Structures are given as C-alpha cells and as structure tokens.
Amino acid sequence: MSDSASMLAHHFDDLDQQREASSLGMWLFLVTEIMFFGVLFCAYLIYRGANFAAFAEASHSLDIGLGAFNTAVLIGSSLTMALAVWSAQVGRRKATVWFLVLTIILGSVFLGVKVIEYSAKFEHHHVPGATFDWHAPYGDPVNQDGAEMFFNLYFAMTGLHAIHMVIGIAILAVLIIPAWQGKFTPEWHNPMECLGLYWHFVDIVWIFLFPLLYLIGRH
Amino acid sequence: MSHHVVSRKVYLAIFLALMVLTVVTVAVAFVDLGVFNDIVMLTIAVTKAVLVILYFMHVKYSGKLTALTVIAGFFFFVVMILLIMMDYWTRGFVT
C-alpha cells in the first residue's frame, strides 16, 4: 500500500482540498467537451429543421433494436464505472480491478455493436459521399440530399462519441495497474474519480444521441 | 469538505431509473404525439442526464464551486444554441 500522505502535493492544505481541485479541473475540461459536442447538436438542430421529413425517414432506417441495446449497455457501463470508483473510495482493491474490467467489457460491446451498424451503412450505400444512394426500401429518392445530411451528422456525432469511448477504454486499461497495486485508498483516488467523471459524461452524450438519431422517425 | 461516499443502493436505484426511462422513451417514440414527441423525448433525456450528473458524477455531494461550474457550462451551451438559432429562425432557413 502506498502512503496516502505522500500523495498530497505541497500546494494543497489537505487531501480533501486536493480532491476538490482535481474534480473541478476535470469538470472544466468537460465543460469544453460540452461545447465540442454542442456545436454538432446545434448543426443537427438546424439541418433537421430544414429537412424535417428526410431526417425522419433516415432515422427510421437505423436499427432501433441495436440502438436501444447499446443504450442499455452504456448505462450498465456507467453503473460498473460508478461501482469501480466506489470500490476505490472504500479501499477494496480487487473489486476496483474487477469493476474496471467489467466497464472495459461493456464499453467494448458498445463499440462492437457500432462496428456492426457502421458496416451495414457501407453495405447499403448510406455513407455520405459519391456513393451515397437513398431509395426504397429505406426511403424516397426525393429525400436524397436531406438523408445524406442526416448521415453526415450521424457519422460525425457517433464517430466523435466512439473516439471518446476508445480513449476511455484505454484509460480504464491503464488504471488497472495502479488499482491492482493498491495505489488507490479511501484518502487518495483522484485518477479514478476523474475517469469516472469522463466516462459518465460520454454516457450523457449518448443519452442525447440515442433519441435524436434513432427515435425521430418511428411514429 | 468531508468526503461523501454514495451508497451502492443509490447507484443501483439510479441505474434502474435510467433503464426505465430508456424503455419509456423508446415506447413513446412509437406513439404519434405531433410536436410533443420531441418535447417528451428531450424531457426524458434531460432527466436522465441530470440523474447521471447529480448521482453518478457526485455533483449533489460536491462543493458549490463544482456545481456552479457545471451549471455555467450548460448555461452557456444553451446561450450558444439560442443565439445561433435566432439567426436561422429569422431567415426562414428552418421551417
């Protein structure tokens, strides 16, 4: 076990203040992330307003089963992440490692489903660009341009989200080492706290992406 | 600032609430409510996000400075959206 007091940087009064500062710093980064994803949501709002029917049609072509399944998987991964942080907070070394592993597995399942979805888009010529082709059974060729715009946003938003997932999974894997070594104690576990914040933020992004992309053309 | 550890029961309750809300939002998507489809959908999404922020991300148990930072972040995001949309709404680009 590492000595918690040695984890206290000299410019902080105590470990509590250090933890507060570390969480606040992470939140400041996440605020920049809100703007990062935010402009894409703004673009979505504008182009959906301009291509209402085409967006509904294109949304309808997505697999709602896979989307809902992935939403459940990601919410489950947020639970395991929260429990990983909890395990670190109460100093349960093995539980911390196990919950990190579980979170990696659930995150990987999410990305695996995304691979299946993306490959279907390539197959159906629903990837924006020269080969984009919009016709029955998915929709009316009259909506070609609007549908292409939808898929532009679909790939930009889910792609940026998937990149965040990959980075999150990489950090989860890296943190298994100090967790295994018992570096995280009830007094000091700031890296786990920050990773938790990041992972839950990525979950929140998906909580908005799922209805906006998958649920607007069902009725 | 004492360090608050949230109980596992709370995490589990929030997880179940998020799952139920996910089922509800999928179910509602198949019912035609006109303009209210989007309103219900976004209300549920915002509710889920708030639950995650307050409990999973511990903002409910953090200091005022953290809460203020989070609120400010979302506030200025809304400001950004509104200012940009004012332009599009008044030019007739968005129907």
Side-chain angles (χ1 to χ4, degrees):
Chain A
M1 294 294 277
S2 68
D3 178 19
S4 294
S6 70
M7 289 302 187
L8 180 62
H10 70 87
H11 48 278
F12 291 110
D13 294 335
D14 52 46
L15 287 162
D16 270 339
Q17 189 196 36
Q18 185 172 351
R19 180 171 45 241
E20 279 281 301
S22 132
S23 290
L24 182 65
M26 193 65 202
W27 262 112
L28 282 172
F29 165 67
L30 293 180
V31 167
T32 71
E33 290 269 86
I34 293 171
M35 293 301 175
F36 194 23
F37 281 99
V39 286
L40 286 171
F41 282 105
C42 193
Y44 170 93
L45 197 61
I46 292 161
Y47 285 104
R48 187 186 167 198
N51 308 281
F52 207 78
F55 265 50
E57 214 173 61
S59 168
H60 193 81
S61 78
L62 298 181
D63 190 326
I64 191 171
L66 289 177
F69 173 76
N70 250 356
T71 306
V73 166
L74 209 51
I75 291 171
S77 81
S78 253
L79 176 67
T80 56
M81 184 73 237
L83 292 172
V85 176
W86 180 88
S87 306
Q89 282 176 335
V90 297
R92 295 194 185 180
R93 187 176 69 92
K94 278 185 178 159
T96 309
V97 172
W98 276 117
F99 280 121
L100 285 171
V101 170
L102 269 175
T103 311
I104 289 174
I105 291 169
L106 287 169
S108 305
V109 168
F110 179 94
L111 288 173
V113 172
K114 269 267 136 307
V115 168
I116 294 167
E117 287 182 288
Y118 274 24
S119 56
K121 300 284 166 287
F122 278 95
E123 230 169 276
H124 301 148
H125 295 287
H126 289 173
V127 180
T131 58
F132 186 82
D133 190 20
W134 191 247
H135 56 69
Y138 303 105
D140 188 342
V142 80
N143 288 323
Q144 166 101 3
D145 289 351
E148 186 167 13
M149 195 65 224
F150 174 89
F151 282 107
N152 267 311
L153 287 162
Y154 170 84
F155 280 104
M157 290 165 122
T158 59
L160 187 62
H161 178 265
I163 289 168
H164 278 78
M165 293 281 297
V166 171
I167 294 167
I169 289 170
I171 300 170
L172 280 160
V174 167
L175 282 199
I176 284 177
I177 299 158
W180 181 256
Q181 292 169 335
K183 289 253 167 69
F184 303 129
T185 61
E187 293 77 29
W188 184 86
H189 47 263
N190 294 359
M192 287 293 294
E193 192 84 47
C194 289
L195 175 61
L197 288 173
Y198 175 84
W199 192 262
H200 297 313
F201 175 82
V202 175
D203 186 20
I204 289 172
V205 171
W206 184 258
I207 281 171
F208 283 96
L209 284 183
F210 172 62
L212 290 176
L213 294 173
Y214 289 79
L215 300 182
I216 59 170
R218 299 291 155 186
H219 43 272
Chain B
M1 277 304 300
S2 64
H3 188 38
H4 189 283
V5 177
V6 186
S7 83
R8 283 172 295 178
K9 272 184 190 157
V10 171
Y11 287 139
L12 207 58
I14 297 300
F15 165 76
L16 289 172
L18 291 170
M19 284 302 202
V20 169
L21 286 169
T22 302
V23 172
V24 170
T25 199
V26 171
V28 170
F30 287 94
V31 185
D32 192 357
L33 303 170
V35 75
F36 285 99
N37 270 105
D38 283 1
I39 293 169
V40 171
M41 194 174 84
L42 282 174
T43 305
I44 291 174
V46 168
T47 307
K48 285 162 79 179
V50 167
L51 287 176
V52 172
I53 290 167
L54 286 181
Y55 294 94
F56 281 177
M57 297 172 93
H58 304 154
V59 170
K60 189 178 192 294
Y61 313 96
S62 302
K64 285 194 176 78
L65 186 58
T66 305
L68 182 68
T69 305
V70 176
I71 292 164
F74 283 100
F75 174 78
F76 281 103
F77 167 64
V78 172
V79 168
M80 178 185 78
I81 294 269
L82 283 177
L83 284 177
I84 293 173
M85 289 316 288
M86 274 178 196
D87 191 20
Y88 284 95
W89 282 326
T90 52
R91 284 169 195 267
F93 183 85
V94 175
T95 46

